[in-house]
Short mmCIF file of all heavy atoms in Angstrom, two decimals:
data_model
loop_
_atom_site.label_atom_id
_atom_site.label_comp_id
_atom_site.label_asym_id
_atom_site.label_seq_id
_atom_site.Cartn_x
_atom_site.Cartn_y
_atom_site.Cartn_z
N LEU R 33 -61.06 -46.20 -37.31
CA LEU R 33 -62.44 -46.38 -36.91
C LEU R 33 -62.80 -47.86 -36.93
O LEU R 33 -62.30 -48.61 -37.77
CB LEU R 33 -63.38 -45.61 -37.84
CG LEU R 33 -63.10 -44.13 -38.02
CD1 LEU R 33 -64.18 -43.52 -38.92
CD2 LEU R 33 -63.01 -43.40 -36.71
N GLY R 52 -70.26 -34.09 -43.49
CA GLY R 52 -69.81 -32.85 -42.87
C GLY R 52 -70.99 -31.94 -42.60
O GLY R 52 -72.10 -32.20 -43.07
N GLN R 68 -63.53 -57.14 -52.44
CA GLN R 68 -62.95 -56.10 -53.26
C GLN R 68 -63.25 -54.75 -52.63
O GLN R 68 -64.32 -54.53 -52.07
CB GLN R 68 -63.53 -56.14 -54.67
CG GLN R 68 -63.20 -57.43 -55.42
CD GLN R 68 -61.71 -57.59 -55.65
OE1 GLN R 68 -61.04 -56.67 -56.10
NE2 GLN R 68 -61.18 -58.77 -55.34
N LYS R 76 -58.53 -41.92 -51.61
CA LYS R 76 -57.71 -42.98 -52.21
C LYS R 76 -56.24 -42.75 -51.87
O LYS R 76 -55.71 -41.66 -52.01
CB LYS R 76 -57.94 -42.99 -53.72
CG LYS R 76 -57.55 -44.28 -54.41
CD LYS R 76 -58.02 -44.25 -55.87
CE LYS R 76 -59.51 -44.25 -55.99
NZ LYS R 76 -59.99 -44.28 -57.39
N PHE R 79 -56.79 -43.76 -47.03
CA PHE R 79 -57.68 -44.56 -46.19
C PHE R 79 -57.67 -46.01 -46.66
O PHE R 79 -57.53 -46.28 -47.85
CB PHE R 79 -59.11 -44.04 -46.27
CG PHE R 79 -59.35 -42.70 -45.63
CD1 PHE R 79 -58.30 -41.89 -45.21
CD2 PHE R 79 -60.65 -42.26 -45.43
CE1 PHE R 79 -58.53 -40.66 -44.63
CE2 PHE R 79 -60.91 -41.03 -44.84
CZ PHE R 79 -59.84 -40.22 -44.45
N ASP R 84 -62.66 -57.86 -40.35
CA ASP R 84 -62.29 -59.07 -39.63
C ASP R 84 -63.58 -59.86 -39.43
O ASP R 84 -64.40 -59.52 -38.57
CB ASP R 84 -61.65 -58.71 -38.28
CG ASP R 84 -61.11 -59.93 -37.56
OD1 ASP R 84 -61.71 -61.02 -37.69
OD2 ASP R 84 -60.11 -59.78 -36.84
N TYR R 91 -63.29 -52.03 -40.33
CA TYR R 91 -62.34 -51.00 -39.92
C TYR R 91 -62.15 -49.96 -41.02
O TYR R 91 -62.34 -50.24 -42.21
CB TYR R 91 -60.97 -51.60 -39.59
CG TYR R 91 -61.00 -52.62 -38.49
CD1 TYR R 91 -61.04 -53.98 -38.77
CD2 TYR R 91 -60.98 -52.23 -37.15
CE1 TYR R 91 -61.05 -54.93 -37.76
CE2 TYR R 91 -61.00 -53.18 -36.13
CZ TYR R 91 -61.04 -54.51 -36.45
OH TYR R 91 -61.07 -55.44 -35.44
N ASN R 95 -55.14 -42.25 -42.67
CA ASN R 95 -53.83 -41.64 -42.53
C ASN R 95 -53.79 -40.30 -43.24
O ASN R 95 -54.63 -40.00 -44.09
CB ASN R 95 -52.75 -42.56 -43.12
CG ASN R 95 -52.66 -43.89 -42.41
OD1 ASN R 95 -52.82 -43.97 -41.19
ND2 ASN R 95 -52.39 -44.95 -43.17
N TRP R 125 -77.52 -49.01 -40.82
CA TRP R 125 -76.61 -47.92 -40.52
C TRP R 125 -76.30 -47.86 -39.03
O TRP R 125 -77.16 -48.13 -38.20
CB TRP R 125 -77.24 -46.59 -40.93
CG TRP R 125 -77.42 -46.45 -42.41
CD1 TRP R 125 -78.47 -46.90 -43.15
CD2 TRP R 125 -76.52 -45.82 -43.33
NE1 TRP R 125 -78.27 -46.60 -44.48
CE2 TRP R 125 -77.09 -45.92 -44.61
CE3 TRP R 125 -75.30 -45.18 -43.19
CZ2 TRP R 125 -76.47 -45.43 -45.76
CZ3 TRP R 125 -74.68 -44.67 -44.32
CH2 TRP R 125 -75.26 -44.79 -45.58
N GLN R 127 -74.88 -45.29 -35.82
CA GLN R 127 -75.23 -43.94 -35.40
C GLN R 127 -74.09 -42.94 -35.60
O GLN R 127 -74.29 -41.74 -35.41
CB GLN R 127 -75.69 -43.94 -33.95
CG GLN R 127 -76.99 -44.69 -33.75
CD GLN R 127 -77.61 -44.44 -32.40
OE1 GLN R 127 -76.93 -44.10 -31.45
NE2 GLN R 127 -78.93 -44.63 -32.30
N SER R 135 -56.24 -27.82 -38.25
CA SER R 135 -54.99 -27.43 -38.92
C SER R 135 -53.99 -26.87 -37.93
O SER R 135 -54.33 -26.60 -36.77
CB SER R 135 -55.29 -26.40 -40.01
OG SER R 135 -55.94 -25.28 -39.45
#
Side-chain angles (χ1 to χ4, degrees):
L33 306 183
Q68 297 296 312
K76 200 171 293 182
F79 290 11
D84 186 327
Y91 300 98
N95 298 324
W125 293 85
Q127 293 193 336
S135 57

